[in-house]
Amino acid sequence: MFINIGKSKWMKIILFITTFAFVGTAFVALIIYKFAGNIQGVAKVNGKEIPMAEFYYQVNLITRQMENQGIDTAPLKKQIYADAIRNVIDQEILFQEAQKEGLEATKEEVKRYILDIDAFKEGGKFSKSRYLAFLSQINLTPSFFEEILKKELSIRHLLTIQKVGFYLSDDELDTYINKQISKITGEFVLIKPPEYRPTQKEIKQYYKKNIKEFSGKKGKLIVIYQISIKELGAEKAQKKAQQIYKKLKNDQQISEEKGIKKIFEDVVYNNKINLPEKLKQEIKNLSSKKRIILVSEDDSYYLIKYIKDVSQPLPIKKVKDKIISQLKKEKSEKSVQKLYKELEKIVKQEKNLKNIAINYRSKIKKIKNETAQLLGTEYGISQEDLGKIVKAKPGQIVGPFKTPSGILIGKISKIEPPEKESRKDMEKLLKPILLESKYRTLVQMLIDKLKEDSEIIINRRLLQ
């Protein structure tokens, strides 16, 4: 019954689990992850390890999607890795739930799905050579590709069952339409907190406290050990090099002794360092994936170990504007919150909008037959607050409402509900969008609940 689920033209080659892109949901659970460095996979979910192949598959998908949008992915490695980890964990917990519910896709389903993919057909029939050529292009083995399909088809079975009985009520639709095209007549006053200008002392303190944020020139912190063939002899030097290599690999302490010494431990930003040319060339190849390199010379062995990436902080002059902007933002958020609490008390007592405006030296703006949608866009009012405005009665003071630039308070003269024709047009436009949004919210709630009930351990090495 589930064979044809999700077979749009966009799903013919690789299934994408759309739940992983769900954003803006009404509920996001607080998930506490455990971190470990002793697991081989990307993560362990309820005792089952997720292989690294799935992680790198997700990394490649995310990277390609970003690059197709013209995004430079080079500086976004950490974000891409974090997104890929989240994706594989979400996929695994949904797959495990599908297994519990008896909804796991069979090998026969996967086989029939592959046989039905047009990209793998030649003359209307499945072509094994075309199938293998495609997998070769994206560096996947048939068994791994089939495991991916099995997982994702199983998840689609689970989500299809979740969708049974799902609907959007007339009240939900009416409420949203009213928040868009009801017409409002009244007066509004936007009260802004005092403008804040950070002092030079505050700028310097912020710079020192957050200096890691202002990374400039990139470099690598490395250490180099020299094992002298001349002093130890060829055979002994080779054995010592092997022993030190193992110790470096296991992050063990290296003791200096006859013929063995640490000749360098510092940050390398470029090749302008006093080291043999061969070493300087090999340092370029060091990374978190290739942490140790052995270099052999006529008179010595050299072991170079990568410790971590570092960056030279940008001077305060170059980041001053950024610091001022951030300090203003932080101060503004606190000031707006303080102002909101203050006005919340005043609005309960003061029913004259003009008095509030005078006390806070703000101007009243009159609006006439302006749509709620336009009002919301103009001031940055949330959908929840718009709902309170369109439900207000004539003469009622509404607010206070937080906006990006201050606190909004209004007095309503008249609210006109949407006209029938406008309502019908808006309903046609919004219904599919709201259905999709509500479904995404429900699926995200399912994912968050499953995460709360699961034991999840992440390989910490991937986040370093």
Side-chain angles (χ1 to χ4, degrees):
M1 83 183 255
F2 292 110
I3 295 300
N4 294 314
I5 292 171
K7 284 193 177 179
S8 70
K9 68 177 181 177
W10 303 108
M11 299 297 296
K12 287 292 183 181
I13 296 189
I14 298 177
L15 287 172
F16 293 100
I17 289 298
T18 55
T19 52
F20 303 152
F22 286 175
V23 294
T25 54
F27 169 79
V28 178
L30 178 63
I31 308 300
I32 304 299
Y33 292 117
K34 294 180 182 178
F35 295 89
N38 58 350
I39 58 175
Q40 299 304 310
V42 57
K44 188 181 283 187
V45 179
N46 298 321
K48 182 182 174 183
E49 277 200 20
I50 305 172
M52 292 298 295
E54 288 191 34
F55 167 72
Y56 287 116
Y57 173 70
Q58 282 292 333
V59 168
N60 289 335
L61 283 182
I62 294 167
T63 302
R64 286 178 188 175
Q65 287 169 355
M66 286 182 166
E67 288 173 350
N68 288 340
Q69 295 170 26
I71 299 170
D72 179 13
T73 58
L76 301 175
K77 180 182 173 182
K78 284 189 177 180
Q79 178 191 324
I80 292 169
Y81 271 33
D83 289 346
I85 290 169
R86 186 198 69 232
N87 287 2
V88 295
I89 290 172
D90 286 357
Q91 193 172 28
E92 180 59 36
I93 62 169
L94 287 170
F95 178 57
Q96 289 183 15
E97 184 67 12
Q99 289 177 311
K100 287 178 189 175
E101 296 295 327
L103 299 170
E104 183 176 356
T106 63
K107 289 184 179 179
E108 187 61 29
E109 275 183 83
V110 175
K111 181 181 177 182
R112 278 182 283 173
Y113 193 92
I114 292 171
L115 292 174
D116 195 37
I117 293 175
D118 292 337
F120 302 153
K121 289 181 181 179
E122 196 168 0
K125 293 184 178 180
F126 176 78
S127 167
K128 187 176 181 180
S129 61
R130 292 192 72 171
Y131 174 53
L132 295 176
F134 165 75
L135 294 182
S136 177
Q137 286 176 1
I138 58 174
N139 297 317
L140 293 181
T141 63
S143 60
F144 180 63
F145 181 65
E146 287 160 23
E147 277 301 311
I148 290 172
L149 286 178
K150 180 180 180 181
K151 223 173 207 186
E152 296 186 350
L153 284 170
S154 301
I155 292 168
R156 290 186 176 278
H157 297 355
L158 174 69
L159 298 186
T160 298
I161 295 299
Q162 294 291 323
K163 208 167 186 177
V164 173
F166 172 80
Y167 67 96
L168 184 71
S169 71
D170 290 339
D171 283 345
E172 287 176 294
L173 189 57
D174 285 345
T175 298
Y176 195 84
I177 290 173
N178 287 340
K179 286 191 284 186
Q180 299 303 308
I181 56 175
S182 289
K183 291 181 180 178
I184 301 168
T185 298
E187 298 175 331
F188 285 86
V189 58
L190 180 64
I191 300 169
K192 298 181 180 181
E195 187 179 355
Y196 164 70
R197 292 182 181 178
T199 63
Q200 291 300 315
K201 184 179 178 181
E202 287 173 318
I203 293 168
K204 287 179 182 178
Q205 286 176 339
Y206 186 93
Y207 177 76
K208 288 179 181 178
K209 186 179 178 182
N210 302 279
I211 199 162
K212 289 182 180 179
E213 292 181 15
F214 309 117
S215 60
K217 191 162 58 173
K218 304 290 183 183
K220 301 170 187 174
L221 176 60
I222 66 167
V223 62
I224 303 176
Y225 287 91
Q226 180 185 30
I227 299 96
S228 174
I229 297 173
K230 187 177 179 180
E231 291 185 52
L232 298 174
E235 187 177 343
K236 190 174 180 181
Q238 186 179 29
K239 286 182 180 178
K240 284 291 183 181
Q242 290 171 345
Q243 291 170 3
I244 293 171
Y245 180 89
K246 288 179 181 177
K247 285 186 176 182
L248 289 174
K249 192 175 180 182
N250 294 319
D251 297 322
Q252 294 176 347
Q253 189 72 30
I254 308 297
S255 300
E256 292 192 36
E257 55 185 85
K258 182 185 176 183
I260 299 167
K261 62 180 177 178
K262 185 196 295 182
I263 63 166
F264 187 88
E265 184 174 17
D266 205 347
V267 176
V268 177
Y269 288 107
N270 48 46
N271 282 344
K272 294 177 182 178
I273 47 176
N274 187 23
L275 288 171
E277 193 61 35
K278 193 172 181 180
L279 293 187
K280 289 195 283 187
Q281 291 302 316
E282 290 293 349
I283 287 168
K284 293 179 183 178
N285 300 320
L286 285 171
S287 69
S288 57
K289 292 180 182 177
K290 191 173 184 179
R291 297 173 62 237
I292 305 170
I293 293 176
L294 172 66
V295 180
S296 177
E297 293 279 28
D298 292 338
D299 61 345
S300 294
Y301 290 111
Y302 295 92
L303 280 161
I304 316 169
K305 181 180 178 181
Y306 160 93
I307 299 173
K308 63 180 179 179
D309 283 331
V310 295
S311 60
Q312 198 174 54
L314 291 167
I316 193 169
K317 288 181 181 178
K318 288 193 174 182
V319 295
K320 188 175 180 180
D321 289 343
K322 183 179 179 182
I323 293 173
I324 290 172
S325 176
Q326 184 61 31
L327 284 170
K328 281 185 174 181
K329 182 184 174 185
E330 291 177 4
K331 186 72 173 180
S332 174
E333 287 172 357
K334 291 178 182 177
S335 297
V336 166
Q337 180 61 25
K338 183 180 177 182
L339 187 59
Y340 175 80
K341 288 182 178 179
E342 188 179 300
L343 287 167
E344 201 174 24
K345 295 176 183 177
I346 290 170
V347 167
K348 289 177 182 177
Q349 301 168 356
E350 179 62 71
K351 301 304 177 185
N352 190 323
L353 190 65
K354 187 177 179 181
N355 289 342
I356 297 174
I358 291 170
N359 289 338
Y360 284 90
R361 297 179 183 178
S362 302
K363 292 181 180 180
I364 289 177
K365 180 179 178 181
K366 294 184 179 182
I367 64 168
K368 186 175 182 180
N369 293 330
E370 189 171 300
T371 64
Q373 185 181 45
L374 188 60
L375 183 70
T377 303
E378 182 181 351
Y379 289 107
I381 308 169
S382 70
Q383 289 295 311
E384 183 182 354
D385 289 339
L386 274 180
K388 294 174 183 176
I389 292 172
V390 298
K391 289 178 182 177
K393 296 176 182 178
Q396 183 180 343
I397 294 282
V398 290
F401 303 122
K402 291 179 187 177
T403 77
S405 55
I407 305 298
L408 188 71
I409 302 172
K411 186 172 184 179
I412 303 303
S413 301
K414 185 171 64 173
I415 300 287
E416 291 184 45
E419 297 172 357
K420 284 186 179 180
E421 285 303 313
S422 298
R423 178 181 288 277
K424 284 181 182 178
D425 292 340
M426 185 62 79
E427 186 174 326
K428 286 178 185 177
L429 176 68
L430 288 178
K431 192 168 185 178
I433 297 171
L434 292 175
L435 271 168
E436 179 66 14
S437 176
K438 184 179 178 181
Y439 179 58
R440 287 183 176 193
T441 300
L442 292 175
V443 172
Q444 187 61 55
M445 289 173 70
L446 170 64
I447 292 171
D448 292 335
K449 181 64 172 68
L450 292 173
K451 280 182 177 178
E452 282 186 325
D453 297 338
S454 299
E455 183 181 29
I456 300 170
I457 303 171
I458 295 176
N459 186 337
R460 69 172 177 226
R461 292 191 296 269
L462 296 172
L463 298 175
Q464 291 175 345

